[in-house]
Amino acid sequence: MPDSTSSGVRLRSRFADDPEMSDLVRLFISELPARINTLTHAMHEQQLEAMQRMAHQLRGASTGYGFPSIGAAAAKVEDILHATGSSQGENLEQLTSSVHELVELCRLASKG
Amino acid sequence: MTSLPVHHRPLEDARPTVLIVDDSIDVHRLLKVRLKNEDLDFLSAHTGQEGLALALCRTPSLMILDLDMPGMDGLAVLRKMKEHPDTQHTPVIVLSGQHSPRDKVAAFELGAVDYVTKPFELTELRVRIRSALKMQQLISMLAQRAQIDGLTGLWNRAFFDRRWTEEHARLTRHGHPLTLAIMDLDHFKIVNDTYGHPAGDAVLQAIGKILQRASRQSDLACRYGGEEFVLLMPDTTAADAVVVGERIRNAVASSVWPQHPDLRITISIGVAGCSGAAPLSAEQWIEAADRNLYAAKRAGRNHLVCTDLSVQPPRLVKAAG
């Protein structure tokens, strides 16, 4: 289910108005750029294990912060990495595009 | 020997402690916010090793354990916990991003009570935590009830027998001081015959309260049977135990019984303690305390007779007064 308020211009947490959660959501958003940097850096360095770690964490946590679509995109990245193992380059294109999708969603969330 | 929590006071209530073991900082943050109204204390560990160490030294009421951690993973933590008597029965809710049935089976076989797949719905996890804690509370309540005397609320004979054997063995290993007091109400049969059994029960209950109040946090007060009580005093020399025993003897003798103003209750106490290696077997030690109890009775009741087994004789007699 999409959690963007409009046509993907920005991404808003489901819990943005939950008083219990709003501080935590803001903290998560503020940390997203650093996480994305780590992920893309790992991709450029071809550190697949580090990528998988980061995708795994985003997958587990994003729904909790009210961003299920980020969680789903991270799951896709993790699943591709999982299937690829540590060797093949044939999924590289698929991986790149799924990482790109994830990065884009995080960027939209950061704007929210 | 047993892994059930041993409280010095029966049915002690405490706020449950939940240990969260997960390498993701997000899980810690989210759980703490989502569970902040649950009246729980939290402990955090970010690796399996750290989680295991905390589980062993803090024995939490519940553990929430991530399976997918680098280094020592969740299943390894569960395996280690299962091996240790202090953590064997700690309920564990397992968190995992993997959906493999094999992991689920392995986790349950290693003692997990529940399994939640990431990404998890926090409201769901919250009710699962409540339910696991409730279950744990009922189990430990049942276990404790089986060790508690129904009338006085003190520990019962079965509990005493087990702890006495354990404490005696501990003394044999480490040579810490240990003292045992056996106490018997004087002429209790007359109370029952004159005032009736309900009055007798009320006296026994009041004596139970006096024992709890006059003893110390580390002492174990037990109803040994009928009108007989024992006080197990770990890390206590015979001389120190006499102080505690005298406090009890005096408290009983000076009690007033509003329902029966002419009633006077006294207690006789036999004490046997030791501050080095155990000179007697666990059974012989009880017999030594029992002999002193009868010496106290023969001395006119409302007496305390003590033997320090490490220097015996002499025998110290405290008279009523």
Side-chain angles (χ1 to χ4, degrees), chain A residues 27-53:
Chain A
L27 179 64
F28 176 68
I29 290 171
S30 74
E31 289 173 353
L32 268 177
R35 293 194 191 208
I36 288 309
N37 274 343
T38 312
L39 180 69
T40 47
H41 180 76
M43 183 164 76
H44 291 135
E45 300 291 312
Q46 300 198 327
Q47 295 165 341
L48 298 188
E49 215 167 290
M51 279 183 84
Q52 194 167 341
R53 207 73 238 148

Side-chain angles (χ1 to χ4, degrees), chain B residues 3-46:
Chain B
S3 54
L4 291 163
V6 175
H7 301 283
H8 292 292
R9 294 277 185 268
L11 296 180
E12 220 167 50
D13 278 329
R15 208 153 107 124
T17 303
V18 175
L19 169 59
I20 304 169
V21 188
D22 199 306
D23 61 324
S24 153
I25 182 86
D26 301 299
V27 170
H28 292 268
R29 283 180 188 165
L30 289 165
L31 283 178
K32 279 175 195 168
V33 164
R34 286 308 199 188
L35 300 172
K36 72 165 187 242
N37 296 324
E38 294 293 297
D39 202 27
L40 300 170
D41 288 327
F42 292 101
L43 293 169
S44 289
H46 297 86

Side-chain angles (χ1 to χ4, degrees), chain B residues 14 45 54 76 98 102 125 153 155 183 193 224 230 232 235 237 277 306:
Chain B
L54 270 176
Q98 311 297 326
R102 208 196 313 151
L125 183 61
W155 298 108
M183 307 171 228
D193 292 350
Y224 200 54
V230 290
L232 201 169
D235 297 317
T237 61
C306 172

Side-chain angles (χ1 to χ4, degrees), chain B:
Chain B
M1 186 162 169
T2 179
S3 54
L4 291 163
V6 175
H7 301 283
H8 292 292
R9 294 277 185 268
L11 296 180
E12 220 167 50
D13 278 329
R15 208 153 107 124
T17 303
V18 175
L19 169 59
I20 304 169
V21 188
D22 199 306
D23 61 324
S24 153
I25 182 86
D26 301 299
V27 170
H28 292 268
R29 283 180 188 165
L30 289 165
L31 283 178
K32 279 175 195 168
V33 164
R34 286 308 199 188
L35 300 172
K36 72 165 187 242
N37 296 324
E38 294 293 297
D39 202 27
L40 300 170
D41 288 327
F42 292 101
L43 293 169
S44 289
H46 297 86
T47 65
Q49 287 89 336
E50 198 192 341
L52 183 64
L54 270 176
L56 286 170
C57 74
R58 304 286 296 271
T59 51
S61 325
L62 175 70
M63 182 192 252
I64 297 174
L65 175 67
D66 184 24
L67 283 194
D68 326 304
M69 289 182 289
M72 182 186 234
D73 69 9
L75 288 178
V77 172
L78 274 176
R79 216 166 280 126
K80 287 277 180 202
M81 284 177 66
K82 189 92 174 168
E83 284 168 11
H84 202 284
D86 288 346
T87 47
Q88 203 165 48
H89 294 282
T90 306
V92 179
I93 297 179
V94 162
L95 300 179
S96 175
Q98 311 297 326
H99 299 251
S100 127
R102 208 196 313 151
D103 278 351
K104 287 190 188 177
V105 171
F108 277 108
E109 278 180 352
L110 287 169
V113 298
D114 207 346
Y115 192 105
V116 177
T117 310
K118 286 183 186 177
F120 47 82
E121 195 57 61
L122 279 149
T123 46
E124 181 191 322
L125 183 61
R126 182 157 55 191
V127 291
R128 286 182 186 274
I129 287 170
R130 274 187 209 151
S131 138
L133 283 170
K134 184 82 203 161
M135 186 67 86
Q136 180 63 9
Q137 198 193 351
L138 289 174
I139 289 169
S140 68
M141 201 174 81
L142 271 179
Q144 283 211 350
R145 288 236 186 265
Q147 303 176 335
I148 287 170
D149 174 60
L151 181 65
T152 60
L154 300 178
W155 298 108
N156 65 16
R157 172 73 181 264
F159 177 83
F160 168 76
D161 288 344
R162 187 166 59 71
R163 280 305 297 271
W164 176 243
T165 313
E166 284 172 14
E167 289 298 333
H168 184 269
R170 210 164 70 91
L171 173 92
T172 310
R173 278 198 309 275
H174 306 295
H176 295 300
L178 175 65
T179 297
L180 177 69
I182 302 188
M183 307 171 228
D184 190 82
L185 294 179
D186 299 324
H187 300 302
F188 186 67
K189 191 174 175 310
I190 297 175
V191 177
N192 276 332
D193 292 350
T194 313
Y195 302 94
H197 283 276
D201 285 353
V203 167
L204 292 172
Q205 284 173 327
I207 299 299
K209 291 209 176 72
I210 289 174
L211 277 179
Q212 300 254 30
R213 262 203 311 272
S215 59
R216 301 153 308 169
Q217 188 73 33
S218 54
D219 299 334
L220 296 165
C222 319
R223 186 174 176 208
Y224 200 54
E227 65 268 25
E228 216 174 351
F229 299 88
V230 290
L231 191 63
L232 201 169
M233 292 170 272
D235 297 317
T236 305
T237 61
D240 289 340
V242 168
V243 177
V244 179
E246 279 294 279
R247 200 155 59 213
I248 292 167
R249 193 181 62 77
N250 286 318
V252 173
S254 60
S255 291
V256 285
W257 308 88
Q259 305 283 330
H260 307 285
D262 51 333
L263 179 61
R264 287 288 169 273
I265 301 288
T266 56
I267 197 165
S268 299
I269 304 178
V271 179
C274 178
S275 33
L280 300 174
S281 73
E283 294 76 23
Q284 288 168 334
W285 194 321
I286 293 177
E287 284 162 20
D290 218 28
R291 274 198 300 280
N292 284 349
L293 170 62
Y294 281 93
K297 294 274 185 188
R298 277 198 307 277
R301 295 184 166 78
N302 193 21
H303 274 59
L304 180 151
V305 177
C306 172
T307 305
D308 187 337
L309 300 170
S310 20
V311 295
Q312 79 168 112
R315 185 185 266 174
L316 175 66
V317 181
K318 282 270 178 180

